[in-house]
Amino acid sequence: MDAMKAIRAMVMVVFIGYLFIWVMTPTNVYRQKWLPSIRAKTSSTYLGAQGSTILIYTFPVLFIAALGSVYLHFGKKISGGENESRSSKKNRLAIWKRPVIIKGLGIVSRIELAFFIMFIALLVWSFSTYLHISFAKITPKSAAKKGEEVWQAKLDSAALRLGLIGNICLAFLFFPVTRGSSVLPLFGLTSEASVKYHIWLGHIVMTLFTAHGVCYTIFWAVTHQSSELLKWETTGVSNVAGEVALVAGLVMWATTFPRIRRKMFELFFYTHHLYIVFMLFFVLHVGISYACIMLPGFYLFLVDRYLRFLQSRQRVRLLSARILPCETVELNFSKSRALSYTPTSIMFLNVPSISKVQWHPFTVSSSSSLEPEKLSVTIKVEGSWSKKLFQLLSSPNSVDRLDVSIEGPYGPVSTDFLRHDTLVMVSGGSGITPFISIFQELIFMSEILKCKTPKIILVTSFKSSSDLTMLDLLLPNSATASDFSKLELQVEAYVTREKQLSTENKMNIQTLWFKPNPSDAPITPILGQNSSLWLGVIICSSFLIFLLFIGILTRFYIYPIDHNTNKIFSYSTRAVLNMLFICICIALTASASFLWNKKENAMETKQIQNMDGTTPQASPNSWFYNADRELESLPQHSLVQSTNLHFGERPDLKKILFERKESSVGVLVCGPKKMRHEVAGICSSGLAANLHFESISFSW
């Protein structure tokens, strides 16, 4: 714990210093005093002017990422029993974690809202400071020298500054979508929960860059410089490259709005790959030296993206699939004991027989503590991809094996459910899936670790009786009644569109067992048991090798031509070479680390595969195994006793939550937007100080 506190303290010092640099960047103090002084001390024949930018903007973030890797390594060693020692601190922050519903932003905590306001303040401060300094230099005389009017000169200056402000947002844009990030956990964040930050930043980035492009287009039109639109400068800003980047960004932006994204997800998915074009031509537009300002976030994203690529090349061992009457499938994978994950983690799946390019995120619905050699995800039919999967598995001529690739799982470093006296979990439809993993984790804590666990109240809403079979997934296949005898459980299940239990089209839950394939492997940590440390090694070693390559390139190829004047050697060529070296260095170090750990995992993989021969099957000709569970029964009698069914009504959430009188009630919600907002509104009303809203990431 002392080491972790020291790391976090060091990270906060560096991070505050990094933010301070952003605050000072638009000022004359920074541009006329600090920056020239730093460049004078760091400029060399090896890195040139690029060296100072790397030192100021790139190095601090990569240093934080390296420290974060060590922090994550220590974090995995800490037992769940230390949750109580942190509870008092978290209770002091409870008021800041209360939810606020903001139109356009959705449900955010007061901490998130405060940081969002501070970030907007940084943008406003930077833009106003830039304009104040630049406009002070624009006079009728200075404008006349360029053949411009004063308003035209100010438009030119404002257009440039809009681009500079957009670069601030771009510097932070890729942090939230780096799934295996070592930075986000330092601030108590996960990639899935941080996607909303990426969305906010994306909208701001494209608004600013679009305004930047429009203002310059107007400026060139009124000053009769339309030819500027076709210019690609050798040693300056390349306008054509900027236009290509802007067009790519606009196409991505157009498909991100909720209505389009939900109705045409595949269009959104494919067009988002234009980020490669966007980033490539952005760097060609501004030059690599300036692009190093936003390099660290994108650099960490590339490391993560390449590691995910390596993991996705391996087919994983799919053991079985439980097929529910409510068009839901539970996929059960073999996994290594070395792989551990926390409740509410997500995993990305690719099924080549359905689509070779589509990857879909799903919430993990099992506990690595309770089932150390199995990992499950629950998939409910919500779109064309999941519908094809359900039809493939539920058809009479179902397949006897299925090729699947995965990325992940990804989730929070730790969870802290034990700090509450009661957990109220509110779900709608398939929103129950993250609560399955939480419930199973609490079974492990109660039965194996002998921890005192909070009372569990599960309030779940379904459209029809057949959806009640999802409650069957609360317990693993091997569960017995005694597995949760020490848990105080209350399930309130609401069927909203039926007045009574339907007996029509009653179907059993079926289990489909898949034939083993020697080429399939259990899910293992991509970088082994010490994956966090290996990630730090990759980040540090790849960046050092990159600096070495760039130093050699600059000293022996660029410097003899340019002599650090930045007026002779092509900006585009320099940028392309830098980006090429970045990709090579990341690929070399990540591949070496991956292959090293793959050998370490090979022995355990063979041991697990040798156990696959015990797979049960109904008959030589059929791979269906009937679980013999009736629709109106649940897997264990004790679970049935804990369940109250309500037909033809919706839960009165306000009454249910306000009736809880315990000193600390954790409230988790996962379901439709209206339900989430209702629960968040109740918890933020201030009428019950004991209600603590907990954010849950959910993917189906």
Side-chain angles (χ1 to χ4, degrees), residues 36-270:
S37 176
I38 293 172
R39 282 179 174 172
K41 295 177 181 178
T42 59
S43 182
S44 68
T45 58
Y46 290 93
L47 295 176
Q50 184 178 349
S52 59
T53 311
I54 290 175
L55 177 64
I56 298 171
Y57 294 98
T58 306
F59 176 76
V61 176
L62 297 187
F63 180 67
I64 289 174
L67 288 177
S69 299
V70 180
Y71 177 85
L72 285 175
H73 178 72
F74 284 125
K76 291 177 181 178
K77 304 293 184 183
I78 295 178
S79 65
E82 296 185 0
N83 288 332
E84 295 180 3
S85 66
R86 298 194 296 266
S87 61
S88 60
K89 179 181 177 181
K90 293 199 174 186
N91 287 335
R92 291 196 298 268
L93 294 175
I95 189 171
W96 285 97
K97 297 182 71 176
R98 286 191 176 275
V100 179
I101 302 174
I102 306 294
K103 188 175 181 180
L105 299 181
I107 302 173
V108 296
S109 68
R110 296 182 184 184
I111 294 177
E112 291 174 324
L113 183 59
F115 274 98
F116 180 77
I117 293 172
M118 286 190 286
F119 186 78
I120 297 299
L122 171 63
L123 300 184
V124 173
W125 153 259
S126 299
F127 188 59
S128 59
T129 304
Y130 275 130
L131 290 186
H132 175 74
I133 294 173
S134 63
F135 281 8
K137 298 177 182 178
I138 299 174
T139 62
K141 185 176 181 180
S142 65
K145 285 184 178 180
K146 298 180 180 179
E148 303 169 359
E149 297 181 18
V150 172
W151 74 270
Q152 293 172 343
K154 289 185 176 180
L155 177 62
D156 179 23
S157 177
L160 173 62
R161 273 65 193 185
L162 284 169
L164 296 179
I165 303 306
N167 293 337
I168 298 176
C169 301
L170 189 61
F172 293 91
L173 182 64
F174 288 93
F175 287 111
V177 289
T178 304
R179 295 176 193 164
S181 174
S182 60
V183 175
L184 294 178
L186 289 168
F187 301 93
L189 300 171
T190 64
S191 175
E192 187 68 13
S194 302
V195 168
K196 60 185 176 185
Y197 309 143
H198 175 74
I199 295 172
W200 300 347
L201 288 168
H203 286 311
I204 298 173
V205 163
M206 288 313 304
T207 299
L208 291 170
F209 282 169
T210 301
H212 168 71
V214 170
C215 287
Y216 262 121
T217 302
I218 295 173
F219 170 73
W220 290 328
V222 298
T223 57
H224 309 290
Q225 302 180 67
S226 299
S227 60
E228 290 288 333
L229 289 166
L230 302 176
K231 279 192 176 181
W232 191 305
E233 297 286 352
T234 303
T235 58
V237 174
S238 302
N239 295 334
V240 174
E243 292 153 14
V244 173
L246 180 59
V247 170
L250 288 173
V251 173
M252 285 191 291
W253 193 23
T255 62
T256 60
F257 292 94
R259 287 187 179 180
I260 298 176
R261 188 177 72 246
R262 289 169 186 164
K263 292 183 178 180
M264 296 180 284
F265 179 79
E266 291 186 13
L267 178 64
F268 162 78
F269 177 81
Y270 291 125

Side-chain angles (χ1 to χ4, degrees), residues 533-563:
L533 291 181
W534 277 103
L535 177 61
V537 169
I538 292 172
I539 293 171
C540 295
S541 60
S542 62
F543 188 64
L544 289 175
I545 295 173
F546 165 70
L547 291 179
L548 177 63
F549 281 0
I550 291 302
I552 294 173
L553 174 72
T554 305
R555 176 63 184 87
F556 297 104
Y557 180 57
I558 298 177
Y559 181 77
I561 299 173
D562 194 82
H563 298 287

Side-chain angles (χ1 to χ4, degrees), residues 35 38 147 241 313 483 492 520 617 687:
L35 187 58
I38 293 172
R313 297 305 92 193
D483 281 338
E492 301 293 336
D520 294 342
Q617 49 185 314
L687 299 177

